[in-house]
């Protein structure tokens, strides 16, 4: 219990400290008939680090949809998360889904909505890519290759 709490706290601190840090390198766009994924990325992890965030912009030109789950072979589990201020405390919560508005978009970014890779099987190394399968309620499955950016990479 204490180990899991410590891991979550380390992620919260890491995401908060590097909240202004963004993708470097290849910008990738994945488009289906109804969903467009842009600027997907994650960050390199330190040896022994068991969690990492995943970020992207999801555009939806069609009817309202929801991101209902995600998975990746690099992690034991991928959760949908939100960081938000509650009073003077930044808290992270697991979500059952992330709404994607009709004709709109939602941004998964540090300090807000994001994917949380849990129980990472091996360190994520800058320059490699992470395969991620996103599952939407209406659009179905969308496969994304997330570039792994260096820790501390500056936003363009």
């Amino acid at each position: 219990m204490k180990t899991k709490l410590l891991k979550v706290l380390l992620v919260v601190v890491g995401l908060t400290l590097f909240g202004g840090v963004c993708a470097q390198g290849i910008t990738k766009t994945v488009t289906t008939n109804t969903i467009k994924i842009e600027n997907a990325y994650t960050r390199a992890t330190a040896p022994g680090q068991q969690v990492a965030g995943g970020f992207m912009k999801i555009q939806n030109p069609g009817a309202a949809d929801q991101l209902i789950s995600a998975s990746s072979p690099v992690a034991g589990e991928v959760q949908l998360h939100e960081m938000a201020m509650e009073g003077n405390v930044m808290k992270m919560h697991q979500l059952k889904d992330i709404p994607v508005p009709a004709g709109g978009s939602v941004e998964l970014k540090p300090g807000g909505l994001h994917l949380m890779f849990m129980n990472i099987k091996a360190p994520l190394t800058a320059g490699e890519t992470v395969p991620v399968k996103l599952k939407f309620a209406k659009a179905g499955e969308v496969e994304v290759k997330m570039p792994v950016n260096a820790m501390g990479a500056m936003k363009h």
Side-chain angles (χ1 to χ4, degrees):
M1 173 79 170
K2 286 184 180 182
T3 303
K4 188 173 182 178
L5 179 60
L6 179 59
K7 289 177 187 177
V8 169
L9 288 174
L10 287 173
V11 170
V12 170
V13 169
L15 289 173
T16 302
L17 289 175
F18 294 104
V21 178
C22 191
Q24 252 191 37
I26 300 171
T27 298
K28 196 157 193 155
T29 301
V30 176
T31 305
T32 68
N33 290 338
T34 56
I35 294 291
K36 181 178 181 181
I37 307 295
E38 294 183 320
N39 303 322
Y41 72 98
T42 187
R43 294 190 190 109
T45 58
Q49 184 176 334
Q50 294 291 303
V51 294
F55 314 102
M56 69 193 73
K57 183 175 184 178
I58 304 169
Q59 292 186 319
N60 179 20
D65 206 342
Q66 301 87 31
L67 175 61
I68 56 174
S69 67
S71 62
S72 176
V74 304
E77 181 180 12
V78 181
Q79 298 178 355
L80 309 178
H81 272 232
E82 174 182 38
M83 287 181 69
M85 290 298 291
E86 291 184 13
N88 292 329
V89 179
M90 178 72 78
K91 292 195 176 185
M92 187 171 6
H93 304 281
Q94 183 177 2
L95 303 172
K96 67 177 185 164
D97 62 46
I98 296 176
V100 186
S105 65
V106 63
E107 195 165 350
L108 280 58
K109 60 185 179 181
L113 298 170
H114 59 278
L115 299 181
M116 182 60 68
F117 297 95
M118 307 291 286
N119 301 316
I120 296 172
K121 297 175 183 176
L124 303 181
T125 304
E128 64 185 21
T129 59
V130 172
V132 178
K133 204 176 278 188
L134 304 172
K135 186 172 181 183
F136 293 87
K138 294 179 182 168
E141 290 186 353
V142 177
E143 294 191 30
V144 178
K145 300 275 187 200
M146 289 185 150
V148 178
N149 296 320
M151 286 188 268
M154 295 307 293
K155 186 175 182 175
H156 289 293

